[in-house]
Amino acid sequence: MESTYSTRLIAPRTWQIEEKRGEFQVYMYLLEENDRAVIIDTGLGNLDVGSIAAGLTEKPVSVINTHCHGDHIGGNGDFKKVYLCPKDRQGYLDQIAGNAPGKLPRPITTETTDISDGDQLDLGGRVLRIIETPGHSPGSISILDPASRILFTGDCCARGEILAFSEEHGIVGYRDTMKKILKLSDDFDVTYPAHGVTPVGKDVLKSILKLAEDIIDGNIEEKPFVHSFFKGKMCASRGELGIVYPKIDR
């Protein structure tokens, strides 16, 4: 099935690119300033993301991957430089080798440039800050843009079901990630995730944190998460929000 796309300006020199394939959708974000631009994630790989980016900016474009999963790295081959947290490096290589769910439709570069918590990228008067936000994957990151007062969160948090799959961090590590994000709340007004309804407000982030805390404390009903790929996971929900996480040894 082919993908379609649309673009919209969400802040000055900041575009959301939506890729849709059937019922599935994923967002990429292009941020431009005086010297260069970055694209946050590159989608499923069914689009010529390089040409889409070139239609929005004349600046040279690099990639920042929020994490290593196939619906976020598929168009990496259209760009010369890819930033990735080294904690997701093995997952990235596994995805390319076909050893992870979601086969990539075309080849992408195996070369990545490490980027870690606290690193900054200057686009020429617009400085982006990297925040490690593990939980969905070990090396998941969010990108803080003080100029637009937006935090781009990848798959870390959204309005809907959150997949906190990382075995290394578990639900406790995911809770700590949500606390970390909310401690930065003076620096952003809204978050933009990679899926679902956007933007996402701080009220939703607080509700996600409360749900994670209640899961840990045993204050909410949990049940097995049934999926062909992901075994041994549990899930719990409250209203529109849900979290999928590794089973807790109680």
Side-chain angles (χ1 to χ4, degrees), residues 19 26-28 39-47 49 63-65 70-79 82 106 108:
E19 178 177 1
V26 60
Y27 298 120
M28 301 158 261
I39 187 166
I40 299 173
D41 292 332
T42 60
L44 294 159
N46 295 310
L47 298 173
V49 184
V63 175
I64 304 176
N65 284 142
D71 55 331
H72 297 260
I73 67 173
N76 281 8
D78 294 344
F79 303 91
V82 174
R106 55 193 173 101
I108 66 172

mmCIF file with all atom_site columns, all heavy atoms in Angstrom, residues 19 26-28 39-47 49 63-65 70-79 82 106 108:
data_model
loop_
_atom_site.group_PDB
_atom_site.id
_atom_site.type_symbol
_atom_site.label_atom_id
_atom_site.label_alt_id
_atom_site.label_comp_id
_atom_site.label_asym_id
_atom_site.label_entity_id
_atom_site.label_seq_id
_atom_site.pdbx_PDB_ins_code
_atom_site.Cartn_x
_atom_site.Cartn_y
_atom_site.Cartn_z
_atom_site.occupancy
_atom_site.B_iso_or_equiv
_atom_site.pdbx_formal_charge
_atom_site.auth_seq_id
_atom_site.auth_comp_id
_atom_site.auth_asym_id
_atom_site.auth_atom_id
_atom_site.pdbx_PDB_model_num
ATOM 1   N N   . GLU A 1 19  ? 2.525  11.399 7.335  1.00 0.00 ? 19  GLU A N   1
ATOM 2   C CA  . GLU A 1 19  ? 2.499  10.288 6.387  1.00 0.00 ? 19  GLU A CA  1
ATOM 3   C C   . GLU A 1 19  ? 1.360  9.356  6.776  1.00 0.00 ? 19  GLU A C   1
ATOM 4   O O   . GLU A 1 19  ? 1.237  8.959  7.946  1.00 0.00 ? 19  GLU A O   1
ATOM 5   C CB  . GLU A 1 19  ? 3.817  9.512  6.400  1.00 0.00 ? 19  GLU A CB  1
ATOM 6   C CG  . GLU A 1 19  ? 3.802  8.311  5.465  1.00 0.00 ? 19  GLU A CG  1
ATOM 7   C CD  . GLU A 1 19  ? 5.122  7.548  5.405  1.00 0.00 ? 19  GLU A CD  1
ATOM 8   O OE1 . GLU A 1 19  ? 6.065  7.937  6.119  1.00 0.00 ? 19  GLU A OE1 1
ATOM 9   O OE2 . GLU A 1 19  ? 5.191  6.566  4.634  1.00 0.00 ? 19  GLU A OE2 1
ATOM 10  N N   . VAL A 1 26  ? 1.908  8.598  10.807 1.00 0.00 ? 26  VAL A N   1
ATOM 11  C CA  . VAL A 1 26  ? 3.082  8.970  11.590 1.00 0.00 ? 26  VAL A CA  1
ATOM 12  C C   . VAL A 1 26  ? 3.483  10.389 11.190 1.00 0.00 ? 26  VAL A C   1
ATOM 13  O O   . VAL A 1 26  ? 3.346  10.777 10.021 1.00 0.00 ? 26  VAL A O   1
ATOM 14  C CB  . VAL A 1 26  ? 4.246  7.973  11.376 1.00 0.00 ? 26  VAL A CB  1
ATOM 15  C CG1 . VAL A 1 26  ? 4.675  7.914  9.923  1.00 0.00 ? 26  VAL A CG1 1
ATOM 16  C CG2 . VAL A 1 26  ? 5.423  8.288  12.288 1.00 0.00 ? 26  VAL A CG2 1
ATOM 17  N N   . TYR A 1 27  ? 3.948  11.156 12.170 1.00 0.00 ? 27  TYR A N   1
ATOM 18  C CA  . TYR A 1 27  ? 4.361  12.532 11.914 1.00 0.00 ? 27  TYR A CA  1
ATOM 19  C C   . TYR A 1 27  ? 5.878  12.665 11.894 1.00 0.00 ? 27  TYR A C   1
ATOM 20  O O   . TYR A 1 27  ? 6.592  12.043 12.689 1.00 0.00 ? 27  TYR A O   1
ATOM 21  C CB  . TYR A 1 27  ? 3.838  13.472 13.001 1.00 0.00 ? 27  TYR A CB  1
ATOM 22  C CG  . TYR A 1 27  ? 2.343  13.545 13.101 1.00 0.00 ? 27  TYR A CG  1
ATOM 23  C CD1 . TYR A 1 27  ? 1.695  13.180 14.278 1.00 0.00 ? 27  TYR A CD1 1
ATOM 24  C CD2 . TYR A 1 27  ? 1.560  13.984 12.033 1.00 0.00 ? 27  TYR A CD2 1
ATOM 25  C CE1 . TYR A 1 27  ? 0.319  13.252 14.390 1.00 0.00 ? 27  TYR A CE1 1
ATOM 26  C CE2 . TYR A 1 27  ? 0.181  14.056 12.134 1.00 0.00 ? 27  TYR A CE2 1
ATOM 27  C CZ  . TYR A 1 27  ? -0.435 13.687 13.319 1.00 0.00 ? 27  TYR A CZ  1
ATOM 28  O OH  . TYR A 1 27  ? -1.802 13.756 13.425 1.00 0.00 ? 27  TYR A OH  1
ATOM 29  N N   . MET A 1 28  ? 6.353  13.510 10.993 1.00 0.00 ? 28  MET A N   1
ATOM 30  C CA  . MET A 1 28  ? 7.725  14.005 10.984 1.00 0.00 ? 28  MET A CA  1
ATOM 31  C C   . MET A 1 28  ? 7.656  15.516 11.175 1.00 0.00 ? 28  MET A C   1
ATOM 32  O O   . MET A 1 28  ? 6.620  16.127 10.914 1.00 0.00 ? 28  MET A O   1
ATOM 33  C CB  . MET A 1 28  ? 8.396  13.683 9.641  1.00 0.00 ? 28  MET A CB  1
ATOM 34  C CG  . MET A 1 28  ? 8.438  12.194 9.310  1.00 0.00 ? 28  MET A CG  1
ATOM 35  S SD  . MET A 1 28  ? 8.636  11.889 7.529  1.00 0.00 ? 28  MET A SD  1
ATOM 36  C CE  . MET A 1 28  ? 6.935  11.562 7.069  1.00 0.00 ? 28  MET A CE  1
ATOM 37  N N   . ILE A 1 39  ? 15.191 17.364 10.212 1.00 0.00 ? 39  ILE A N   1
ATOM 38  C CA  . ILE A 1 39  ? 13.905 16.686 10.164 1.00 0.00 ? 39  ILE A CA  1
ATOM 39  C C   . ILE A 1 39  ? 13.904 15.663 11.287 1.00 0.00 ? 39  ILE A C   1
ATOM 40  O O   . ILE A 1 39  ? 14.845 14.884 11.439 1.00 0.00 ? 39  ILE A O   1
ATOM 41  C CB  . ILE A 1 39  ? 13.633 16.046 8.789  1.00 0.00 ? 39  ILE A CB  1
ATOM 42  C CG1 . ILE A 1 39  ? 12.195 15.498 8.737  1.00 0.00 ? 39  ILE A CG1 1
ATOM 43  C CG2 . ILE A 1 39  ? 14.654 14.979 8.424  1.00 0.00 ? 39  ILE A CG2 1
ATOM 44  C CD1 . ILE A 1 39  ? 11.714 15.157 7.341  1.00 0.00 ? 39  ILE A CD1 1
ATOM 45  N N   . ILE A 1 40  ? 12.884 15.747 12.121 1.00 0.00 ? 40  ILE A N   1
ATOM 46  C CA  . ILE A 1 40  ? 12.744 14.828 13.244 1.00 0.00 ? 40  ILE A CA  1
ATOM 47  C C   . ILE A 1 40  ? 11.962 13.621 12.749 1.00 0.00 ? 40  ILE A C   1
ATOM 48  O O   . ILE A 1 40  ? 10.769 13.704 12.478 1.00 0.00 ? 40  ILE A O   1
ATOM 49  C CB  . ILE A 1 40  ? 12.035 15.509 14.423 1.00 0.00 ? 40  ILE A CB  1
ATOM 50  C CG1 . ILE A 1 40  ? 12.858 16.717 14.911 1.00 0.00 ? 40  ILE A CG1 1
ATOM 51  C CG2 . ILE A 1 40  ? 11.815 14.526 15.567 1.00 0.00 ? 40  ILE A CG2 1
ATOM 52  C CD1 . ILE A 1 40  ? 12.153 17.558 15.957 1.00 0.00 ? 40  ILE A CD1 1
ATOM 53  N N   . ASP A 1 41  ? 12.697 12.500 12.569 1.00 0.00 ? 41  ASP A N   1
ATOM 54  C CA  . ASP A 1 41  ? 12.181 11.236 12.037 1.00 0.00 ? 41  ASP A CA  1
ATOM 55  C C   . ASP A 1 41  ? 11.869 11.329 10.541 1.00 0.00 ? 41  ASP A C   1
ATOM 56  O O   . ASP A 1 41  ? 11.703 12.430 9.991  1.00 0.00 ? 41  ASP A O   1
ATOM 57  C CB  . ASP A 1 41  ? 10.971 10.734 12.829 1.00 0.00 ? 41  ASP A CB  1
ATOM 58  C CG  . ASP A 1 41  ? 11.350 10.313 14.241 1.00 0.00 ? 41  ASP A CG  1
ATOM 59  O OD1 . ASP A 1 41  ? 12.506 9.904  14.443 1.00 0.00 ? 41  ASP A OD1 1
ATOM 60  O OD2 . ASP A 1 41  ? 10.502 10.398 15.148 1.00 0.00 ? 41  ASP A OD2 1
ATOM 61  N N   . THR A 1 42  ? 11.818 10.157 9.899  1.00 0.00 ? 42  THR A N   1
ATOM 62  C CA  . THR A 1 42  ? 11.659 10.137 8.438  1.00 0.00 ? 42  THR A CA  1
ATOM 63  C C   . THR A 1 42  ? 10.585 9.160  7.959  1.00 0.00 ? 42  THR A C   1
ATOM 64  O O   . THR A 1 42  ? 10.527 8.831  6.792  1.00 0.00 ? 42  THR A O   1
ATOM 65  C CB  . THR A 1 42  ? 12.994 9.801  7.755  1.00 0.00 ? 42  THR A CB  1
ATOM 66  O OG1 . THR A 1 42  ? 13.451 8.507  8.197  1.00 0.00 ? 42  THR A OG1 1
ATOM 67  C CG2 . THR A 1 42  ? 14.057 10.848 8.061  1.00 0.00 ? 42  THR A CG2 1
ATOM 68  N N   . GLY A 1 43  ? 9.728  8.697  8.874  1.00 0.00 ? 43  GLY A N   1
ATOM 69  C CA  . GLY A 1 43  ? 8.567  7.924  8.465  1.00 0.00 ? 43  GLY A CA  1
ATOM 70  C C   . GLY A 1 43  ? 8.846  6.496  8.074  1.00 0.00 ? 43  GLY A C   1
ATOM 71  O O   . GLY A 1 43  ? 9.880  5.903  8.406  1.00 0.00 ? 43  GLY A O   1
ATOM 72  N N   . LEU A 1 44  ? 7.910  5.943  7.307  1.00 0.00 ? 44  LEU A N   1
ATOM 73  C CA  . LEU A 1 44  ? 7.892  4.523  6.981  1.00 0.00 ? 44  LEU A CA  1
ATOM 74  C C   . LEU A 1 44  ? 8.849  4.128  5.867  1.00 0.00 ? 44  LEU A C   1
ATOM 75  O O   . LEU A 1 44  ? 9.158  2.953  5.687  1.00 0.00 ? 44  LEU A O   1
ATOM 76  C CB  . LEU A 1 44  ? 6.470  4.114  6.572  1.00 0.00 ? 44  LEU A CB  1
ATOM 77  C CG  . LEU A 1 44  ? 5.413  4.195  7.674  1.00 0.00 ? 44  LEU A CG  1
ATOM 78  C CD1 . LEU A 1 44  ? 4.024  4.272  7.065  1.00 0.00 ? 44  LEU A CD1 1
ATOM 79  C CD2 . LEU A 1 44  ? 5.523  2.999  8.598  1.00 0.00 ? 44  LEU A CD2 1
ATOM 80  N N   . GLY A 1 45  ? 9.278  5.095  5.059  1.00 0.00 ? 45  GLY A N   1
ATOM 81  C CA  . GLY A 1 45  ? 10.162 4.797  3.942  1.00 0.00 ? 45  GLY A CA  1
ATOM 82  C C   . GLY A 1 45  ? 9.450  4.671  2.615  1.00 0.00 ? 45  GLY A C   1
ATOM 83  O O   . GLY A 1 45  ? 10.067 4.341  1.605  1.00 0.00 ? 45  GLY A O   1
ATOM 84  N N   . ASN A 1 46  ? 8.170  4.953  2.587  1.00 0.00 ? 46  ASN A N   1
ATOM 85  C CA  . ASN A 1 46  ? 7.400  4.863  1.342  1.00 0.00 ? 46  ASN A CA  1
ATOM 86  C C   . ASN A 1 46  ? 7.347  6.182  0.575  1.00 0.00 ? 46  ASN A C   1
ATOM 87  O O   . ASN A 1 46  ? 6.844  6.225  -0.548 1.00 0.00 ? 46  ASN A O   1
ATOM 88  C CB  . ASN A 1 46  ? 5.968  4.414  1.642  1.00 0.00 ? 46  ASN A CB  1
ATOM 89  C CG  . ASN A 1 46  ? 5.907  3.019  2.204  1.00 0.00 ? 46  ASN A CG  1
ATOM 90  O OD1 . ASN A 1 46  ? 6.483  2.090  1.654  1.00 0.00 ? 46  ASN A OD1 1
ATOM 91  N ND2 . ASN A 1 46  ? 5.222  2.857  3.331  1.00 0.00 ? 46  ASN A ND2 1
ATOM 92  N N   . LEU A 1 47  ? 7.848  7.251  1.194  1.00 0.00 ? 47  LEU A N   1
ATOM 93  C CA  . LEU A 1 47  ? 7.823  8.571  0.574  1.00 0.00 ? 47  LEU A CA  1
ATOM 94  C C   . LEU A 1 47  ? 9.233  9.023  0.242  1.00 0.00 ? 47  LEU A C   1
ATOM 95  O O   . LEU A 1 47  ? 10.207 8.591  0.866  1.00 0.00 ? 47  LEU A O   1
ATOM 96  C CB  . LEU A 1 47  ? 7.203  9.588  1.538  1.00 0.00 ? 47  LEU A CB  1
ATOM 97  C CG  . LEU A 1 47  ? 5.763  9.372  1.975  1.00 0.00 ? 47  LEU A CG  1
ATOM 98  C CD1 . LEU A 1 47  ? 5.402  10.378 3.066  1.00 0.00 ? 47  LEU A CD1 1
ATOM 99  C CD2 . LEU A 1 47  ? 4.800  9.515  0.803  1.00 0.00 ? 47  LEU A CD2 1
ATOM 100 N N   . VAL A 1 49  ? 11.120 11.482 1.181  1.00 0.00 ? 49  VAL A N   1
ATOM 101 C CA  . VAL A 1 49  ? 11.127 12.499 2.224  1.00 0.00 ? 49  VAL A CA  1
ATOM 102 C C   . VAL A 1 49  ? 12.144 13.595 1.908  1.00 0.00 ? 49  VAL A C   1
ATOM 103 O O   . VAL A 1 49  ? 11.951 14.761 2.248  1.00 0.00 ? 49  VAL A O   1
ATOM 104 C CB  . VAL A 1 49  ? 11.404 11.870 3.606  1.00 0.00 ? 49  VAL A CB  1
ATOM 105 C CG1 . VAL A 1 49  ? 11.304 12.924 4.702  1.00 0.00 ? 49  VAL A CG1 1
ATOM 106 C CG2 . VAL A 1 49  ? 10.420 10.753 3.894  1.00 0.00 ? 49  VAL A CG2 1
ATOM 107 N N   . VAL A 1 63  ? 18.990 14.558 9.819  1.00 0.00 ? 63  VAL A N   1
ATOM 108 C CA  . VAL A 1 63  ? 17.930 13.803 10.488 1.00 0.00 ? 63  VAL A CA  1
ATOM 109 C C   . VAL A 1 63  ? 18.246 13.689 11.976 1.00 0.00 ? 63  VAL A C   1
ATOM 110 O O   . VAL A 1 63  ? 19.389 13.420 12.355 1.00 0.00 ? 63  VAL A O   1
ATOM 111 C CB  . VAL A 1 63  ? 17.797 12.382 9.899  1.00 0.00 ? 63  VAL A CB  1
ATOM 112 C CG1 . VAL A 1 63  ? 16.781 11.559 10.694 1.00 0.00 ? 63  VAL A CG1 1
ATOM 113 C CG2 . VAL A 1 63  ? 17.411 12.438 8.431  1.00 0.00 ? 63  VAL A CG2 1
ATOM 114 N N   . ILE A 1 64  ? 17.232 13.869 12.800 1.00 0.00 ? 64  ILE A N   1
ATOM 115 C CA  . ILE A 1 64  ? 17.292 13.439 14.196 1.00 0.00 ? 64  ILE A CA  1
ATOM 116 C C   . ILE A 1 64  ? 16.246 12.339 14.359 1.00 0.00 ? 64  ILE A C   1
ATOM 117 O O   . ILE A 1 64  ? 15.048 12.598 14.188 1.00 0.00 ? 64  ILE A O   1
ATOM 118 C CB  . ILE A 1 64  ? 16.995 14.573 15.192 1.00 0.00 ? 64  ILE A CB  1
ATOM 119 C CG1 . ILE A 1 64  ? 17.921 15.766 14.983 1.00 0.00 ? 64  ILE A CG1 1
ATOM 120 C CG2 . ILE A 1 64  ? 17.114 14.045 16.625 1.00 0.00 ? 64  ILE A CG2 1
ATOM 121 C CD1 . ILE A 1 64  ? 17.588 16.952 15.891 1.00 0.00 ? 64  ILE A CD1 1
ATOM 122 N N   . ASN A 1 65  ? 16.682 11.137 14.668 1.00 0.00 ? 65  ASN A N   1
ATOM 123 C CA  . ASN A 1 65  ? 15.736 10.058 14.953 1.00 0.00 ? 65  ASN A CA  1
ATOM 124 C C   . ASN A 1 65  ? 15.394 10.049 16.434 1.00 0.00 ? 65  ASN A C   1
ATOM 125 O O   . ASN A 1 65  ? 16.286 9.988  17.283 1.00 0.00 ? 65  ASN A O   1
ATOM 126 C CB  . ASN A 1 65  ? 16.311 8.698  14.571 1.00 0.00 ? 65  ASN A CB  1
ATOM 127 C CG  . ASN A 1 65  ? 16.314 8.431  13.080 1.00 0.00 ? 65  ASN A CG  1
ATOM 128 O OD1 . ASN A 1 65  ? 17.247 7.849  12.557 1.00 0.00 ? 65  ASN A OD1 1
ATOM 129 N ND2 . ASN A 1 65  ? 15.268 8.845  12.374 1.00 0.00 ? 65  ASN A ND2 1
ATOM 130 N N   . GLY A 1 70  ? 11.089 1.134  12.875 1.00 0.00 ? 70  GLY A N   1
ATOM 131 C CA  . GLY A 1 70  ? 10.998 1.235  11.425 1.00 0.00 ? 70  GLY A CA  1
ATOM 132 C C   . GLY A 1 70  ? 10.095 2.323  10.893 1.00 0.00 ? 70  GLY A C   1
ATOM 133 O O   . GLY A 1 70  ? 10.321 2.828  9.789  1.00 0.00 ? 70  GLY A O   1
ATOM 134 N N   . ASP A 1 71  ? 9.064  2.712  11.640 1.00 0.00 ? 71  ASP A N   1
ATOM 135 C CA  . ASP A 1 71  ? 8.173  3.759  11.161 1.00 0.00 ? 71  ASP A CA  1
ATOM 136 C C   . ASP A 1 71  ? 8.729  5.164  11.416 1.00 0.00 ? 71  ASP A C   1
ATOM 137 O O   . ASP A 1 71  ? 8.064  6.160  11.114 1.00 0.00 ? 71  ASP A O   1
ATOM 138 C CB  . ASP A 1 71  ? 6.774  3.619  11.781 1.00 0.00 ? 71  ASP A CB  1
ATOM 139 C CG  . ASP A 1 71  ? 6.792  3.587  13.301 1.00 0.00 ? 71  ASP A CG  1
ATOM 140 O OD1 . ASP A 1 71  ? 7.795  3.134  13.876 1.00 0.00 ? 71  ASP A OD1 1
ATOM 141 O OD2 . ASP A 1 71  ? 5.790  3.995  13.922 1.00 0.00 ? 71  ASP A OD2 1
ATOM 142 N N   . HIS A 1 72  ? 9.962  5.226  11.919 1.00 0.00 ? 72  HIS A N   1
ATOM 143 C CA  . HIS A 1 72  ? 10.598 6.518  12.192 1.00 0.00 ? 72  HIS A CA  1
ATOM 144 C C   . HIS A 1 72  ? 11.917 6.708  11.438 1.00 0.00 ? 72  HIS A C   1
ATOM 145 O O   . HIS A 1 72  ? 12.436 7.820  11.390 1.00 0.00 ? 72  HIS A O   1
ATOM 146 C CB  . HIS A 1 72  ? 10.855 6.671  13.692 1.00 0.00 ? 72  HIS A CB  1
ATOM 147 C CG  . HIS A 1 72  ? 9.599  6.691  14.503 1.00 0.00 ? 72  HIS A CG  1
ATOM 148 N ND1 . HIS A 1 72  ? 9.028  7.845  14.979 1.00 0.00 ? 72  HIS A ND1 1
ATOM 149 C CD2 . HIS A 1 72  ? 8.778  5.680  14.886 1.00 0.00 ? 72  HIS A CD2 1
ATOM 150 C CE1 . HIS A 1 72  ? 7.912  7.547  15.624 1.00 0.00 ? 72  HIS A CE1 1
ATOM 151 N NE2 . HIS A 1 72  ? 7.738  6.242  15.580 1.00 0.00 ? 72  HIS A NE2 1
ATOM 152 N N   . ILE A 1 73  ? 12.436 5.639  10.862 1.00 0.00 ? 73  ILE A N   1
ATOM 153 C CA  . ILE A 1 73  ? 13.752 5.702  10.211 1.00 0.00 ? 73  ILE A CA  1
ATOM 154 C C   . ILE A 1 73  ? 13.700 5.354  8.731  1.00 0.00 ? 73  ILE A C   1
ATOM 155 O O   . ILE A 1 73  ? 14.722 5.375  8.047  1.00 0.00 ? 73  ILE A O   1
ATOM 156 C CB  . ILE A 1 73  ? 14.770 4.777  10.921 1.00 0.00 ? 73  ILE A CB  1
ATOM 157 C CG1 . ILE A 1 73  ? 14.384 3.296  10.744 1.00 0.00 ? 73  ILE A CG1 1
ATOM 158 C CG2 . ILE A 1 73  ? 14.889 5.134  12.401 1.00 0.00 ? 73  ILE A CG2 1
ATOM 159 C CD1 . ILE A 1 73  ? 15.432 2.318  11.279 1.00 0.00 ? 73  ILE A CD1 1
ATOM 160 N N   . GLY A 1 74  ? 12.513 5.060  8.203  1.00 0.00 ? 74  GLY A N   1
ATOM 161 C CA  . GLY A 1 74  ? 12.398 4.514  6.854  1.00 0.00 ? 74  GLY A CA  1
ATOM 162 C C   . GLY A 1 74  ? 12.935 5.390  5.746  1.00 0.00 ? 74  GLY A C   1
ATOM 163 O O   . GLY A 1 74  ? 13.387 4.892  4.711  1.00 0.00 ? 74  GLY A O   1
ATOM 164 N N   . GLY A 1 75  ? 12.916 6.712  5.921  1.00 0.00 ? 75  GLY A N   1
ATOM 165 C CA  . GLY A 1 75  ? 13.407 7.629  4.893  1.00 0.00 ? 75  GLY A CA  1
ATOM 166 C C   . GLY A 1 75  ? 14.801 8.159  5.169  1.00 0.00 ? 75  GLY A C   1
ATOM 167 O O   . GLY A 1 75  ? 15.247 9.102  4.490  1.00 0.00 ? 75  GLY A O   1
ATOM 168 N N   . ASN A 1 76  ? 15.525 7.565  6.107  1.00 0.00 ? 76  ASN A N   1
ATOM 169 C CA  . ASN A 1 76  ? 16.859 8.053  6.449  1.00 0.00 ? 76  ASN A CA  1
ATOM 170 C C   . ASN A 1 76  ? 17.812 8.072  5.263  1.00 0.00 ? 76  ASN A C   1
ATOM 171 O O   . ASN A 1 76  ? 18.733 8.884  5.202  1.00 0.00 ? 76  ASN A O   1
ATOM 172 C CB  . ASN A 1 76  ? 17.477 7.199  7.558  1.00 0.00 ? 76  ASN A CB  1
ATOM 173 C CG  . ASN A 1 76  ? 16.963 7.546  8.941  1.00 0.00 ? 76  ASN A CG  1
ATOM 174 O OD1 . ASN A 1 76  ? 16.022 8.324  9.096  1.00 0.00 ? 76  ASN A OD1 1
ATOM 175 N ND2 . ASN A 1 76  ? 17.552 6.955  9.968  1.00 0.00 ? 76  ASN A ND2 1
ATOM 176 N N   . GLY A 1 77  ? 17.590 7.171  4.316  1.00 0.00 ? 77  GLY A N   1
ATOM 177 C CA  . GLY A 1 77  ? 18.475 7.088  3.154  1.00 0.00 ? 77  GLY A CA  1
ATOM 178 C C   . GLY A 1 77  ? 18.437 8.312  2.261  1.00 0.00 ? 77  GLY A C   1
ATOM 179 O O   . GLY A 1 77  ? 19.315 8.476  1.399  1.00 0.00 ? 77  GLY A O   1
ATOM 180 N N   . ASP A 1 78  ? 17.476 9.201  2.467  1.00 0.00 ? 78  ASP A N   1
ATOM 181 C CA  . ASP A 1 78  ? 17.372 10.419 1.659  1.00 0.00 ? 78  ASP A CA  1
ATOM 182 C C   . ASP A 1 78  ? 18.290 11.531 2.163  1.00 0.00 ? 78  ASP A C   1
ATOM 183 O O   . ASP A 1 78  ? 18.362 12.591 1.534  1.00 0.00 ? 78  ASP A O   1
ATOM 184 C CB  . ASP A 1 78  ? 15.933 10.943 1.668  1.00 0.00 ? 78  ASP A CB  1
ATOM 185 C CG  . ASP A 1 78  ? 14.964 10.003 0.967  1.00 0.00 ? 78  ASP A CG  1
ATOM 186 O OD1 . ASP A 1 78  ? 15.422 9.121  0.234  1.00 0.00 ? 78  ASP A OD1 1
ATOM 187 O OD2 . ASP A 1 78  ? 13.743 10.166 1.176  1.00 0.00 ? 78  ASP A OD2 1
ATOM 188 N N   . PHE A 1 79  ? 18.994 11.287 3.284  1.00 0.00 ? 79  PHE A N   1
ATOM 189 C CA  . PHE A 1 79  ? 19.768 12.348 3.922  1.00 0.00 ? 79  PHE A CA  1
ATOM 190 C C   . PHE A 1 79  ? 21.185 11.870 4.228  1.00 0.00 ? 79  PHE A C   1
ATOM 191 O O   . PHE A 1 79  ? 21.435 10.680 4.398  1.00 0.00 ? 79  PHE A O   1
ATOM 192 C CB  . PHE A 1 79  ? 19.072 12.801 5.208  1.00 0.00 ? 79  PHE A CB  1
ATOM 193 C CG  . PHE A 1 79  ? 17.665 13.262 4.981  1.00 0.00 ? 79  PHE A CG  1
ATOM 194 C CD1 . PHE A 1 79  ? 16.600 12.376 5.066  1.00 0.00 ? 79  PHE A CD1 1
ATOM 195 C CD2 . PHE A 1 79  ? 17.397 14.580 4.643  1.00 0.00 ? 79  PHE A CD2 1
ATOM 196 C CE1 . PHE A 1 79  ? 15.295 12.791 4.847  1.00 0.00 ? 79  PHE A CE1 1
ATOM 197 C CE2 . PHE A 1 79  ? 16.094 15.010 4.418  1.00 0.00 ? 79  PHE A CE2 1
ATOM 198 C CZ  . PHE A 1 79  ? 15.045 14.114 4.518  1.00 0.00 ? 79  PHE A CZ  1
ATOM 199 N N   . VAL A 1 82  ? 22.611 11.439 10.001 1.00 0.00 ? 82  VAL A N   1
ATOM 200 C CA  . VAL A 1 82  ? 21.550 10.957 10.873 1.00 0.00 ? 82  VAL A CA  1
ATOM 201 C C   . VAL A 1 82  ? 22.048 10.969 12.310 1.00 0.00 ? 82  VAL A C   1
ATOM 202 O O   . VAL A 1 82  ? 23.066 10.340 12.625 1.00 0.00 ? 82  VAL A O   1
ATOM 203 C CB  . VAL A 1 82  ? 21.113 9.523  10.487 1.00 0.00 ? 82  VAL A CB  1
ATOM 204 C CG1 . VAL A 1 82  ? 20.107 8.988  11.502 1.00 0.00 ? 82  VAL A CG1 1
ATOM 205 C CG2 . VAL A 1 82  ? 20.545 9.483  9.074  1.00 0.00 ? 82  VAL A CG2 1
ATOM 206 N N   . ARG A 1 106 ? 13.084 0.062  1.837  1.00 0.00 ? 106 ARG A N   1
ATOM 207 C CA  . ARG A 1 106 ? 14.252 0.355  1.011  1.00 0.00 ? 106 ARG A CA  1
ATOM 208 C C   . ARG A 1 106 ? 15.474 0.536  1.898  1.00 0.00 ? 106 ARG A C   1
ATOM 209 O O   . ARG A 1 106 ? 15.340 0.759  3.112  1.00 0.00 ? 106 ARG A O   1
ATOM 210 C CB  . ARG A 1 106 ? 14.024 1.601  0.153  1.00 0.00 ? 106 ARG A CB  1
ATOM 211 C CG  . ARG A 1 106 ? 13.616 2.857  0.887  1.00 0.00 ? 106 ARG A CG  1
ATOM 212 C CD  . ARG A 1 106 ? 13.128 3.905  -0.093 1.00 0.00 ? 106 ARG A CD  1
ATOM 213 N NE  . ARG A 1 106 ? 12.574 5.074  0.541  1.00 0.00 ? 106 ARG A NE  1
ATOM 214 C CZ  . ARG A 1 106 ? 13.222 6.222  0.686  1.00 0.00 ? 106 ARG A CZ  1
ATOM 215 N NH1 . ARG A 1 106 ? 14.478 6.349  0.264  1.00 0.00 ? 106 ARG A NH1 1
ATOM 216 N NH2 . ARG A 1 106 ? 12.645 7.270  1.255  1.00 0.00 ? 106 ARG A NH2 1
ATOM 217 N N   . ILE A 1 108 ? 18.638 1.897  3.967  1.00 0.00 ? 108 ILE A N   1
ATOM 218 C CA  . ILE A 1 108 ? 18.997 3.155  4.627  1.00 0.00 ? 108 ILE A CA  1
ATOM 219 C C   . ILE A 1 108 ? 20.427 3.049  5.135  1.00 0.00 ? 108 ILE A C   1
ATOM 220 O O   . ILE A 1 108 ? 20.981 1.947  5.242  1.00 0.00 ? 108 ILE A O   1
ATOM 221 C CB  . ILE A 1 108 ? 18.050 3.508  5.795  1.00 0.00 ? 108 ILE A CB  1
ATOM 222 C CG1 . ILE A 1 108 ? 18.190 2.486  6.938  1.00 0.00 ? 108 ILE A CG1 1
ATOM 223 C CG2 . ILE A 1 108 ? 16.617 3.595  5.319  1.00 0.00 ? 108 ILE A CG2 1
ATOM 224 C CD1 . ILE A 1 108 ? 17.437 2.890  8.186  1.00 0.00 ? 108 ILE A CD1 1
#
